[in-house]
């Protein structure tokens, strides 16, 4: 992988991790177009995913600091502990999928773009449906409940499919559950921090054990990290504002178009 390919893929990862258009799907499409697909780029995937976690911590540092302070500086049960508990509940479905179905999920990646295209079209439908029903019901919304956290967590587990946007699926599910617009994006971004780091750690163990060889240079890793971090910061802040204003339709149209492109590209 060259540095300019790493730059492109890093930008794609940073933008699409937070925008509801599927980072995994776009990386599959990007790697197919650039001819860089393969297990030898696993380290690159770890690096850019770590970069997007860092961008989340930068943009939401006040929320993260408050949750950390409220959860570990007192023994009394409080709102911060309650919020962290909801995040932990949301992580149960993806933990189950990662522990017991990891090989089956990984087998779905790199097997062509038809599945990616279909999942992108499903993402488009979910985004459109959530905005349509939210506007139609004109409800004020409520804080995230444990029931909401469990349902959103199931949506996140389904979003391991390449092309099914994690942020798009979880945000759309939260809106359909009636969660406040200003709360659903923040919860969606915070709930994924530990799963992404956990997945990166497991992949890193593969590299350390020699199960997968490293054939990528230092420069592409550095360029990819910086590109993913900078664009991730921009996309995270932008997406929170987009959800607050309920402007998801354009992303739905985009996902529909790029999904159709992926299917046509694969068939041709």
């Amino acid at each position: 992988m060259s540095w300019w390919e790493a730059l492109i893929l890093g930008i794609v990862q940073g933008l699409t991790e937070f925008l509801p258009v599927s980072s995994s799907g776009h990386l599959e499409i990007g790697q197919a177009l650039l001819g860089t697909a393969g297990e030898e780029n696993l380290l690159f995937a770890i690096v850019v995913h770590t970069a997007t976690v860092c961008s989340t911590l930068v943009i939401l540092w006040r929320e993260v600091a408050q949750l950390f302070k409220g959860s570990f500086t007192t023994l009394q049960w409080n709102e911060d502990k309650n919020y962290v508990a909801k995040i932990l509940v949301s992580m149960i479905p993806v933990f189950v999928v990662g522990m017991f179905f990891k090989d089956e999920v990984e087998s779905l990646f790199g097997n062509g773009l038809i599945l990616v295209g279909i999942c992108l079209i499903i993402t488009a439908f979910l985004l459109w449906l959530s905005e349509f029903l939210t506007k139609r019901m004109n409800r004020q919304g409520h804080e995230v409940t444990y029931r909401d956290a469990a349902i959103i967590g199931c949506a996140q587990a389904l979003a391991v499919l390449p092309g099914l946007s994690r942020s798009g699926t979880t945000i759309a599910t939260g809106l359909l559950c009636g969660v406040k617009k200003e709360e659903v994006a923040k919860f969606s971004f915070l709930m994924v921090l530990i799963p992404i780091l956990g997945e990166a750690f497991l992949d890193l163990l593969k590299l350390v054990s020699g199960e997968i060889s490293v054939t990528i240079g230092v420069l592409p890793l550095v360029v990819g990290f910086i590109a993913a971090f900078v664009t991730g910061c921009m996309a995270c802040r932008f997406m929170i504002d987009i959800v607050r204003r309920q402007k998801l339709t354009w992303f739905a149209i985009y996902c529909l178009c790029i999904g159709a492109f992926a299917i046509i590209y694969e068939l041709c």
Side-chain angles (χ1 to χ4, degrees), residues 256-267:
L256 182 63
C257 293
I258 199 69
F261 167 79
I263 294 173
I264 295 172
Y265 180 85
E266 181 69 12
L267 293 176

Side-chain angles (χ1 to χ4, degrees), residues 53-72 80 83-84 87 186 189-191 193-194 197 236:
V53 170
C54 292
S55 63
T56 306
L57 295 175
V58 168
I59 299 301
L60 298 177
W61 71 269
R62 288 187 178 87
E63 289 82 355
V64 174
Q66 178 58 44
L67 289 175
F68 187 88
K69 179 181 178 181
S71 299
F72 296 102
D80 293 320
Y83 197 87
V84 170
I87 291 178
K186 182 180 73 172
F189 295 156
L190 290 174
M191 67 185 282
L193 292 179
I194 296 178
L197 289 175
C236 183

Side-chain angles (χ1 to χ4, degrees), residues 2-12 44 220 223-224 227:
S2 64
W3 71 266
W4 64 268
E5 290 172 333
L7 176 64
I8 294 173
L9 293 176
I11 292 173
V12 169
F44 180 80
V223 171

Side-chain angles (χ1 to χ4, degrees), residues 155-171:
Q156 179 180 222
L158 292 174
V160 298
L161 294 171
L164 195 57
S165 170
R166 183 204 60 81
S167 61
T169 302
T170 54
I171 289 172

